[in-house]
Amino acid sequence: VPPDGAPLTPARYKPPATETNPALEDPTPDYMNLLGMVFSMCGLMLKLKWCAWIAVYCSFISFANSRSSEDTKQMMSSFMLSISAVVMSYLQNPQPMSPPW
Amino acid sequence: MKNIYIFIAVLFIPWSFSLAKYDEFEDGDDIMEYDDNDFAEFEDVSEDTVTESPQRIITTEDDEEEATVELEGQDENQEDFDDADTQESDTESEPYDDEEFEGYEEKPDASHSKNKDPITIVNVPAHLQNSWESYYMEILMVTGLLAYIMNYIIGKNKNNRLAHAWFNTHRELLESNFALVGDDGTNKEATSTGKLNQENEHIYNLWCSGRVCCEGMLIQLKFLKRQDLLNVLARMMRPASDQVQIKVTMNDEDMDTYVFAVGTRKALVRLQKEMQDLSEFCSDKPKSGAKYGLPDSLAILSEMGEVTEGMMDAKMIHFLTHYADKIDSVQFSDQFSGPKLMQEEGQLTKLPETKKTLLFTFNVPGSGNTSPKDMESLLPLMSMVIYSIDKAKKFRLNREGKQKADKNRARVEENFLKLTHVQRQEAAQSRREEKKRAEKERIMNEEDPEKQRRLEEAALRREQKKLEKKQMKMKQIKVKAM
């Protein structure tokens, strides 16, 4: 049914309420970002290889879940940090990782 | 003499045979305990016999070779005996002199260690080996990462295809009903972009506007997070389905005041807890819709019976029964303000802003394994949405219903005010105290003593007046009570 004669001024798009109400937002990318940074710091400082690998995974998960409004700089920086943690752990101790079992 | 020596040597053989099996040097100490003067000269001998016998064992079990070795061993022993004799005769009771037996020391020690301590070949450290096998954990990790990336690409593309399939199916209907289809808020003018707005790898928005009755319609395609491998694995445990959420904001004059919801029982229970308006206005539990001919899976939440009667006309019932499996919830509300906000205790709040809204949540069939073709089955639901918009505009409560509705709303507002009464009182109190403090400070800062005195007197008088007023009030209340 086409709209009736009177000229209508369409209302503009407004972003959904999630941006004003932080409780509704999905917290996954933020948590993963934080976890990734914590793990990569642990991996660098304590020279734990598995920490560094988990940091890489966290940064990937954070990237996959991120909103498009989030800037890429943050993603790239956390990604680079985790990669550097892995590389540093291997430079300092080239031994392969041993499984925990 | 020689025979005795040979006999002793032979005695040592089985004993050393058993000892040769042990790695530790401690057993060697046992041998050293026999370091009496009598046997001191035979230290070398005992060691030699110890070395000879395992050699015999190690080499072969061939009798001939054993015999030859035995002979050789015996010959060597005899030589040693001679040597030992000659050397020992010089230094009879002297303790074992290291320097004299330099040549011998190494050999017995070497062979000694061979017996007691078999050479353990230590493994070359793994990172120096030339094999990739030792790095299997790392290879595992990298493979996991590659799998994650592959899943990301595949999931993203699938969601994209589903979204565009949906849009292509619905485009015609939307364009015939709305003047503006697709807007991302960035253009200066309101022109249709005709495209979905991608918010995420799994959420797509579409804003339609320019129709009578409604201010606008926001469609959100909330797909499953197919791009996240963790989510995919979690969904294997707990199946979920894609959702299409449609929120129509109505103009104020186009909708009467009522709150009404219909949907699956589970969804309604959840909404009743979460949504501000449903929890306040629809206090009863969801009722079965069987009375109106709805299937058992659907239930109704309503502010008053009249609304249900009005809403459940033939066409609506037809829609609801035919597409019951795809409907998650349908909510018509004039007091819609979204889910309940978590507020801190001491915060003074106003009632949240409300908007007249129709909210529809549909489940995409397929329960996760959807294909683009499934999107076509959602088209009739969009027709239902359009029909509901028109119906909401047409439906008006009668006088009784209106009175009831107004009473309900007044009640809710009163409750809210009561709740915040304490907070408002506290706020007022603190404001008054602030004022007093400011006054006092002003008096203090006043340099002229005369002025100070006068201001103080003024403040005192004001206090007295207030006290008098209060006393009057108390008297009045007492009189009234009597």
Side-chain angles (χ1 to χ4, degrees), chain A residues 23-40:
Chain A
L24 284 176
E25 274 177 3
D26 176 27
T28 310
D30 302 321
Y31 279 158
M32 282 295 143
N33 218 356
L34 182 66
L35 263 183
M37 282 201 256
V38 166
F39 272 117
S40 59

Side-chain angles (χ1 to χ4, degrees), chain B residues 258 260 292 302 304-317 332 387 391-392 394-397:
Chain B
Y258 51 87
F260 172 77
Y292 303 96
S302 170
M304 45 188 143
E306 191 203 330
V307 176
T308 324
E309 293 286 332
M311 278 292 135
M312 289 290 125
D313 62 351
K315 200 143 185 227
M316 191 62 98
I317 293 175
F332 301 166
Y387 174 74
K391 181 160 180 67
K394 279 185 283 181
F395 178 71
R396 294 278 177 244
L397 295 165

